[in-house]
Amino acid sequence: MRISMDLELQDRPGQLKHVLTPISDLGGNIASIVHHHDKKTFRNTVPVSVIFDIEEQTLEELQEGLEKNGVAIVRIGKMRLRARTHILLIGHIIHTNLRETIDEIDGTGFAEVQDLSLSMPAIDGPSSAVITIMATGDEELKKSIGILRQIAERKDLLFIEPLDERGSPGGVSNEE
Amino acid sequence: MRNSQSTLTLSIIGFGAVGQGVATIVQNVPHIKVVAIADSKGVARMPDLNDVLARKRGGQPIANSNLTALDVIRTIDHDVVVEVTPTNIQGGEPGLTHVREALKNKRNVVTSNKGPLVAAFDELTQLAYTNGVALRYEATVGGAMPIVNLIRDTLAGARVLDIRGVLNGTCNYILTRMAEEALDYDQVLSEAQDMGIAEADPTYDVAGIDTACKVIILANAFFGRHATFADVDVTGIDRITQDALQLARQRGFAVKLVGDVQELTVSPKLIPIAHPLNVSGTLNAASILTDTAGEITVAGKGAGSIETASAILSDVLSLMRDRT
Ligand SMILES: NC(=O)c1ccc[n+]([C@@H]2O[C@H](COP(=O)([O-])OP(=O)(O)OC[C@H]3O[C@@H](n4cnc5c(N)ncnc54)[C@H](OP(=O)(O)O)[C@@H]3O)[C@@H](O)[C@H]2O)c1
């Protein structure tokens, strides 16, 4: 399950390992970390948001581990990814573009790139990719499609999205 | 109408694929008389239809008078002007003047020509209204596939929320062949040109301009949008590659050029293989989303001489019914 956590770390070097170690020890996979250095609290701590995938049943153990390490947990969000779409991109797609694109979407906290297939038929010809995105709800999915569209425009890629389904039930779920 | 009650009189302005199709099929319809046919070179007055069709096919001139197309429209007393000259998206001429003059002279107009409607939809519908005549244009969108009259008459009890369609047979043919035969864009385009499905200059179709014209006509007709070409966001199919189509197919999608009338967009879209808009070859299809009737999808031949003429004939016949 995908988890987003807002944490507070002491503003000292080397604190991040207190977060990363417990997560990876429990088999978790980090998708994104953002340090909010500009939002330092009066307790002299730095807010950090982490997004990672982990087995749901290990969550309690993780919380204990973090607290033992002196990490303050401000919020835990469980993301249920309910909405899914595929986007087709055509043009001069290069791996660095894709990495950046995936990071940007994974970093939103409400969506992730689930799958990506790339086809590069010729070195100098256009390539194409299908990107599968999942998000917590229809609105979030729309937002992540918007991000991808902007990236595509910036990189001059042809952006092809699915015909939107009419009257399909949507539901946002971001349990706290 | 002013003529004798039983016979409807027509002129056919433009005698290419569609004009000849009209001349061919009206021969089998009772109570319709063609009083004049015009091509770019002249006018056949009171034509014998078989004779004039044979002449045109044989490359001979059809004119038997000194009249011009505009003379026919202005001075010959008749009920319906069938305007089927080439579509010109820059200003709509010569069709725009033909349609305008016909309406001013209180003649009904039936047309397959998108040019005048894209250039001056509001002006022309207003002109028809003030002159107490009809302007009918079923054939401008989707050829033989019923859509304009379907929405206007059959679906009159529902509110139309959106119309989305695969409205260009050339694009659809190219995308279908590329996907099914794993052929490159350039290869299929040349093939389509050979077969007469694509023009020597394919820009009008493959850049999405033709689809945009149809979107504009539907937006103005059913959503009162006062839209012109500049309002439509258009992306064509010319950057689509064969392997992109294969990738899409592995995920269960076809790629089609879709016009969205409410959004005023034309762009390639992923369509689930099983979706009713996923029509193949040169077919057209449109999904009409309504408040009470749900989504209704029609499909049919978007072009062709006789097919397009059939849509024109349906407009002509509905004028005949309205008259009685
Ligand atoms: N073909 C289709 O399947 C289809 C489907 C839907 C809609 N449409 C639309 O229907 C219209 C006709 O299409 P088409 O395929 O029949 O075109 P076309 O084969 O190019 O024929 C156009 C005809 O108009 C004549 N013409 C040109 N300028 C004229 C003028 N100033 N006065 C009188 N006649 C004039 C031409 O004369 P000449 O013969 O002397 O050149 C020709 O006979 C177009 O607007 C097209 O977009 C066509």
Side-chain angles (χ1 to χ4, degrees):
Chain A
M1 152 166 288
R2 177 149 284 207
I3 304 291
S4 68
M5 275 191 187
D6 292 343
L7 308 168
E8 282 183 16
L9 295 187
Q10 295 301 318
D11 191 17
R12 268 184 271 132
Q15 293 301 299
L16 203 55
K17 68 169 185 300
H18 295 316
V19 178
L20 302 185
T21 313
I23 293 177
S24 59
D25 283 353
L26 289 166
N29 238 327
I30 308 277
S32 158
I33 300 180
V34 182
H35 272 85
H36 302 286
H37 283 296
D38 49 327
K39 294 184 195 148
K40 213 150 107 183
T41 69
F42 64 90
R43 291 181 293 277
N44 203 31
T45 58
V46 179
V48 173
S49 353
V50 217
I51 296 167
F52 54 95
D53 297 304
I54 203 163
E55 294 294 327
E56 195 173 4
Q57 59 270 24
T58 63
L59 203 54
E60 229 167 278
E61 199 178 326
L62 175 65
Q63 264 171 272
E64 286 165 15
L66 289 171
E67 276 158 13
K68 215 162 55 210
N69 284 351
V71 177
I73 302 175
V74 180
R75 189 193 68 97
I76 301 179
K78 297 183 190 170
M79 289 167 39
R80 296 199 191 281
L81 299 173
R82 303 227 155 141
R84 186 167 78 139
T85 196
H86 305 279
I87 301 291
L88 178 60
L89 297 175
I90 305 174
H92 290 279
I93 303 169
I94 44 174
H95 285 286
T96 52
N97 286 349
L98 287 176
R99 195 63 255 165
E100 213 177 288
T101 306
I102 294 170
D103 287 349
E104 204 163 327
I105 288 170
D106 282 350
T108 58
F110 52 73
E112 70 171 311
V113 171
Q114 260 215 333
D115 188 45
L116 188 143
S117 325
L118 184 65
S119 166
M120 298 180 115
I123 304 286
D124 50 351
S127 36
S128 45
V130 175
I131 299 185
T132 306
I133 305 176
M134 288 205 79
T136 50
D138 290 343
E139 276 311 306
E140 287 77 5
L141 191 62
K142 244 185 228 150
K143 271 190 224 156
S144 34
I145 294 171
I147 293 171
L148 196 53
R149 186 199 297 277
Q150 276 178 4
I151 298 173
E153 249 163 50
R154 217 159 54 222
K155 316 255 183 209
D156 191 32
L157 304 176
L158 180 60
F159 174 92
I160 305 181
E161 64 181 312
L163 196 71
D164 58 1
E165 303 278 337
R166 293 295 159 83
S168 69
V172 181
S173 153
N174 196 347
E175 299 166 30
E176 299 281 306
Chain B
M1 279 183 214
R2 289 166 297 161
N3 278 277
S4 79
Q5 283 168 356
S6 56
T7 299
L8 192 80
T9 48
L10 308 183
S11 63
I12 300 173
I13 309 299
F15 203 44
V18 178
Q20 292 171 47
V22 173
T24 305
I25 62 175
V26 294
Q27 296 184 72
N28 308 322
V29 183
H31 310 302
I32 289 185
K33 179 156 186 54
V34 177
V35 297
I37 296 177
D39 65 12
S40 69
K41 291 159 208 89
V43 169
R45 178 88 174 90
M46 287 303 177
D48 173 290
L49 293 178
N50 278 324
D51 176 56
V52 84
L53 280 166
R55 284 174 151 281
K56 188 71 188 174
R57 284 177 196 138
Q60 293 167 340
I62 60 161
N64 63 8
S65 71
N66 295 323
L67 297 174
T68 64
L70 270 176
D71 294 335
V72 170
I73 292 167
R74 288 180 179 140
T75 62
I76 298 180
D77 189 22
H78 62 297
D79 299 317
V80 185
V81 173
V82 174
E83 214 294 336
V84 284
T85 64
T87 287
N88 169 1
I89 50 157
Q90 257 129 22
E93 297 296 357
L96 181 56
T97 300
H98 293 159
V99 174
R100 214 182 246 150
E101 286 302 305
L103 297 173
K104 280 187 191 157
N105 285 282
K106 300 196 190 306
R107 294 188 222 296
N108 300 286
V109 172
V110 174
T111 187
S112 61
N113 183 351
K114 292 167 281 289
L117 295 175
V118 169
F121 189 90
D122 291 346
E123 180 210 320
L124 296 177
T125 45
Q126 185 59 38
L127 200 56
Y129 179 78
T130 50
N131 285 287
V133 288
L135 168 62
R136 301 287 223 130
Y137 45 87
E138 175 67 62
T140 57
V141 184
M145 175 186 81
I147 178 158
V148 176
N149 298 337
L150 176 74
I151 295 175
R152 207 197 48 178
D153 302 331
T154 315
L155 294 176
R159 204 161 67 87
V160 176
L161 306 174
D162 198 3
I163 306 163
R164 300 184 299 187
V166 173
L167 301 173
N168 183 276
T170 307
C171 290
N172 205 32
Y173 176 83
I174 292 173
L175 293 176
T176 307
R177 288 281 293 169
M178 283 172 73
E180 285 177 1
E181 307 297 330
L183 295 169
D184 284 333
Y185 176 84
D186 291 330
Q187 171 79 23
V188 178
L189 176 60
S190 311
E191 179 190 284
Q193 284 166 328
D194 264 4
M195 293 170 70
I197 291 172
E199 305 280 331
D201 176 4
T203 315
Y204 177 70
D205 292 313
V206 299
I209 301 166
D210 174 69
T211 305
C213 290
K214 292 162 179 170
V215 163
I216 291 166
I217 292 172
L218 294 174
N220 291 340
F222 298 113
F223 301 124
R225 288 295 280 275
H226 317 293
T228 63
F229 202 79
D231 300 314
V232 188
D233 192 359
V234 187
T235 307
I237 64 161
D238 39 353
R239 286 179 70 188
I240 293 177
T241 58
Q242 190 253 110
D243 55 300
L245 297 181
Q246 306 306 331
L247 271 185
R249 217 151 115 119
Q250 287 159 15
R251 289 289 187 292
F253 291 101
V255 176
K256 300 281 164 188
L257 186 68
V258 174
D260 188 317
V261 178
Q262 192 61 270
E263 273 181 3
L264 292 177
T265 58
V266 174
S267 59
K269 288 267 164 74
L270 294 171
I271 297 187
I273 300 280
H275 194 282
L277 279 183
N278 182 23
V279 290
S280 65
T282 58
L283 284 179
N284 282 20
S287 268
I288 304 151
L289 184 71
T290 70
D291 58 348
T292 49
E295 192 154 23
I296 289 166
T297 303
V298 284
K301 293 224 164 90
S305 162
I306 295 292
E307 291 83 351
T308 307
S310 85
I312 288 180
L313 183 61
S314 101
D315 275 345
V316 170
L317 293 177
S318 77
L319 291 176
M320 243 165 144
R321 276 194 301 274
D322 290 351
R323 178 160 78 149
T324 52

